[in-house]
Amino acid sequence: MELQLWRELLDPYQLAVDELIVKFNHVIQEHRNRGIYSPIESVDGRLKSIVSIMDKMQRKDVSMNDIEEKIEDLAGIRITCQFVEDIDRVVVMIKNRTDMSVKYEKDYVRHMKASGYRSYHMIVIYPVNTIKGTKNLSVEIQIRTMAMNFWATIEHSLQYKYKENIPQYIQQKLLDVSEVILDMDHEMSVVRDEIMDAQNSHHRKENLVRDILNNIQNLYKIANTQEVEKIQDEFYRIYVLDDLVQLDHFSKQLDIISEGYRAQSLN
Ligand code: 0O2
């Protein structure tokens, strides 16, 4: 197939990857803006390379005409979670979305592959709008923990070197390490609440400081400079106390002051 035809075939899949990265990043941001824990830690995506497509066509005996039907990971999205419990939350979240529908799932988290690979796979149908109209594309979404991702990334790079023939002692080592990773994920789950709490506090603090600084900056434009400087000093005094309750109280008070000035400036 000519390069131009490959481009025409793959372009919509690139669009799907780009759109889904934006959408899942937005999910992360929405959680953080509200100061709540995001089950998605990060999202990444890729269009399958032509070489990888040709390799897979050969491996699975797929003809040119059947590429789109039989190779369902032309567009691939990878969602990384901090904790193993987050994977199920992300799966539910994806099932509830109205911009895609689930075609089928493979649970390699509960049913590890013989290689030691763990990950949750969802093949979804995702519509994209192109100049030729709407196209319903298959997209593979892989959902895994950071620890599972570490393992898969290392193992994948070995596949490039050894193809199907990773030496037995390395295969065994990978299997052993995948067990360690399973244990690690479970161990981390024990302190999940504690860690989530710490991260939520951090994001709440960031949001509060952002709101306070915005308010102070706006006040400089309309209020008496000396008064705003006093407010700023008070903010620094409270900030160093590292007390979220006081910071929250200060932010609310500042909202009231700012509202007052806005009302005044309207008169
Ligand atoms: P790449 O380079 O990542 O695109 P199946 O018929 O079900 O065996 P299929 O369609 O490959 O074959 O489905 P499967 O097994 O769900 O794998 C899809 C993708 O999951 C793979 O794509 C890999 O990205 C990843 N994956 C599956 N098994 C392993 C594994 O043992 N190790 C690692 N590191 N990744 C794995 P590709 O096209 O193989 O590769």
Side-chain angles (χ1 to χ4, degrees):
M1 182 151 62
E2 284 172 37
L3 188 60
Q4 181 56 27
L5 290 176
W6 275 112
R7 278 209 188 109
E8 275 175 31
L9 171 83
L10 295 177
D11 254 5
Y13 290 89
Q14 182 64 61
L15 177 61
V17 170
D18 294 345
E19 284 186 11
L20 288 168
I21 290 178
V22 169
K23 288 181 177 186
F24 285 118
N25 267 323
H26 192 76
V27 171
I28 300 175
Q29 209 46 55
E30 257 189 281
H31 279 87
R32 297 202 173 142
N33 286 345
R34 285 172 170 73
I36 51 176
Y37 175 81
S38 170
I40 300 179
E41 171 61 19
S42 62
V43 58
D44 199 355
R46 63 100 183 97
L47 180 68
K48 204 172 183 69
S49 71
I50 296 175
V51 172
S52 293
I53 298 171
M54 292 201 299
D55 281 353
K56 203 160 187 170
M57 286 170 69
Q58 216 174 350
R59 221 167 54 231
K60 299 194 165 230
D61 198 19
V62 175
S63 70
M64 282 292 175
N65 290 335
D66 290 339
I67 293 178
E68 288 189 272
E69 193 198 328
K70 302 226 167 111
I71 302 188
E72 293 167 304
D73 65 341
L74 295 176
I77 296 293
R78 183 163 301 144
I79 290 177
T80 314
C81 307
Q82 295 193 68
F83 301 100
V84 77
E85 293 82 357
D86 299 334
I87 295 177
D88 285 341
R89 284 185 61 196
V90 176
V91 170
V92 171
M93 189 191 284
I94 289 173
K95 285 182 179 169
N96 286 334
R97 291 188 70 102
T98 53
D99 56 350
M100 61 187 80
S101 57
V102 179
K103 195 166 160 193
Y104 66 89
E105 298 153 77
K106 290 184 193 169
D107 186 351
Y108 298 130
V109 174
R110 288 173 184 85
H111 309 284
M112 180 188 83
K113 280 188 123 176
S115 59
Y117 177 76
R118 283 193 175 87
S119 194
Y120 198 101
H121 289 192
M122 299 177 95
I123 303 294
V124 299
I125 301 296
Y126 180 72
V128 290
N129 290 301
T130 71
I131 51 172
K132 287 189 179 160
T134 306
K135 237 184 127 159
N136 289 318
L137 308 180
S138 290
V139 176
E140 183 185 73
I141 305 181
Q142 300 181 344
I143 311 157
R144 48 173 83 145
T145 63
M146 293 194 278
M148 292 172 192
N149 193 44
F150 166 75
W151 185 96
T153 307
I154 303 282
E155 199 260 4
H156 195 260
S157 62
L158 289 171
Q159 285 177 17
Y160 277 117
K161 176 163 178 192
Y162 297 108
K163 301 279 173 203
E164 309 283 287
N165 307 306
I166 299 182
Q168 182 57 38
Y169 77 96
I170 300 183
Q171 281 186 34
Q172 189 54 51
K173 180 54 81 189
L174 286 165
L175 265 178
D176 294 347
V177 173
S178 88
E179 287 306 320
V180 174
I181 277 168
L182 180 70
D183 284 347
M184 194 172 100
D185 271 334
H186 285 147
E187 286 298 316
M188 290 307 285
S189 291
V190 175
V191 285
R192 179 172 180 261
D193 286 348
E194 194 72 29
I195 296 170
M196 275 168 50
D197 229 34
Q199 292 174 355
N200 285 347
S201 298
H202 178 68
H203 290 306
R204 269 207 306 278
K205 187 173 175 181
E206 277 186 336
N207 292 342
L208 282 172
V209 169
R210 188 196 55 209
D211 290 349
I212 291 169
L213 291 179
N214 268 341
N215 261 333
I216 292 178
Q217 198 179 357
N218 287 335
L219 279 174
Y220 265 116
K221 294 179 199 149
I222 44 176
N224 174 289
T225 308
Q226 272 176 343
E227 234 175 278
V228 186
E229 275 170 0
K230 260 195 230 158
I231 291 173
Q232 195 167 298
D233 288 346
E234 180 62 1
F235 163 59
Y236 289 135
R237 190 190 68 75
I238 291 172
Y239 180 81
V240 292
L241 299 176
D242 204 20
D243 180 341
L244 263 188
V245 177
Q246 287 205 49
L247 202 60
D248 187 49
H249 179 73
F250 178 79
S251 175
K252 289 195 174 109
Q253 294 291 315
L254 193 56
D255 278 343
I256 295 169
I257 296 173
S258 300
E259 274 308 311
Y261 270 106
R262 251 165 243 138
Q264 262 181 22
S265 63
L266 287 177
N267 288 333

